[in-house]
């Protein structure tokens, strides 16, 4: 099916969302050690994320997964939308202009911890929304998967992380349901 890795601007969003394997229940943001590994692996030490941020980070992950699931046509739950709105409101962005007049969006001064990290992700999402790549970051429609992948199909209409597994299962369930009627 090809490469399902997101473009550079969205890789961190994708990898955060995929720290929970819905099928197995394995959560790679369950403990302080898990958080430390995630921070090191993604070079996020500047945000000073700590154990106090774990619950909020997991909430952010699930809200982002819901937003990615909405890209397949399944509306995000009101709880996920509320959680994401709240976290984003606590992570303000500012527009800065340099000496050459170039504009850059970035986290507001003085942020640290989860709000700083959320603002960092918001900049990436805003950039991706502007270039049209955000809507192609999707969560697999299979309720027991929901793996976040990047849809590189020409029409941008894929609904499963892989047709060979999740797509085949969904189509087989539909086929069986029709045959039992």
């Amino acid at each position: 099916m090809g490469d399902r890795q997101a473009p550079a601007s969205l890789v961190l969003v994708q990898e955060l969302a995929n720290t929970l394997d819905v099928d197995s229940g394995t959560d790679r943001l369950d403990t302080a050690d898990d958080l430390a590994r995630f921070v090191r692996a993604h070079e996020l030490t500047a945000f000073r994320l700590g154990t106090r941020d774990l619950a909020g980070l997991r909430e952010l992950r699930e809200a982002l997964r819901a937003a990615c699931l909405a890209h397949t046509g399944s509306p995000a739950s009101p709880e996920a939308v509320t959680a994401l709105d709240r976290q984003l409101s606590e992570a303000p962005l500012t527009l800065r202009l340099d000496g050459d007049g170039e504009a850059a969006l970035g986290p507001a001064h003085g942020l640290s911890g989860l709000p700083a990290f959320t603002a960092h992700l918001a900049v990436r999402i805003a950039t991706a929304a502007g270039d049209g790549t955000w809507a192609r970051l999707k969560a697999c429609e299979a309720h027991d998967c929901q793996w976040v992948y990047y849809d590189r199909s020409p029409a941008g209409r894929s609904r499963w992380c892989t047709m060979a597994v999740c797509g085949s299962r969904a189509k087989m369930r539909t086929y069986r349901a029709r045959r039992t009627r």
Side-chain angles (χ1 to χ4, degrees):
M1 188 69 175
D3 180 23
R4 296 299 204 155
Q5 182 74 26
S9 62
L10 291 172
V11 166
L12 186 56
V13 176
Q14 181 181 30
E15 291 186 2
L16 173 62
N18 287 336
T19 57
L20 175 67
D21 184 329
V22 173
D23 185 35
S24 70
T26 303
D27 188 346
R28 290 180 300 153
L29 284 179
D30 194 37
T31 67
D33 288 340
D34 293 336
L35 175 62
R37 275 189 290 280
F38 183 78
V39 166
R40 275 193 311 275
H42 298 287
E43 300 175 355
L44 304 173
T45 54
F47 298 109
R48 298 192 305 267
L49 291 165
T51 54
R52 70 194 175 287
D53 298 312
L54 262 174
L57 192 56
R58 287 189 297 261
E59 179 187 54
L60 177 61
R61 170 188 67 198
E62 294 312 310
L64 288 170
R65 182 192 317 279
C68 291
L69 189 57
H71 292 160
T72 65
S74 304
S77 72
E79 296 83 16
V81 171
T82 299
L84 194 52
D85 282 348
R86 181 180 39 74
Q87 288 214 13
L88 289 170
S89 71
E90 294 169 0
L93 301 175
T94 59
L95 181 65
R96 295 179 185 94
L97 299 174
D98 68 14
D100 296 327
E102 293 296 317
L105 191 60
H109 291 290
L111 292 180
S112 66
L114 185 58
F117 179 67
T118 303
H120 179 70
L121 290 181
V123 169
R124 291 168 173 253
I125 292 168
T127 301
D131 69 18
T133 58
W134 169 241
R136 286 183 174 256
L137 190 65
K138 300 178 177 184
C140 182
E141 203 173 80
H143 72 280
D144 58 345
C145 179
Q146 296 188 349
W147 197 251
V148 173
Y149 66 95
Y150 189 75
D151 181 359
R152 294 185 184 280
S153 68
R157 292 189 190 135
S158 74
R159 296 172 23 210
W160 302 288
C161 62
T162 174
M163 189 60 203
V165 179
C166 293
S168 291
R169 288 178 187 163
K171 289 182 178 222
M172 185 56 71
R173 280 191 292 271
T174 302
Y175 171 78
R176 287 182 182 152
R178 277 196 309 255
R179 296 222 9 148
T180 59
R181 288 186 212 168

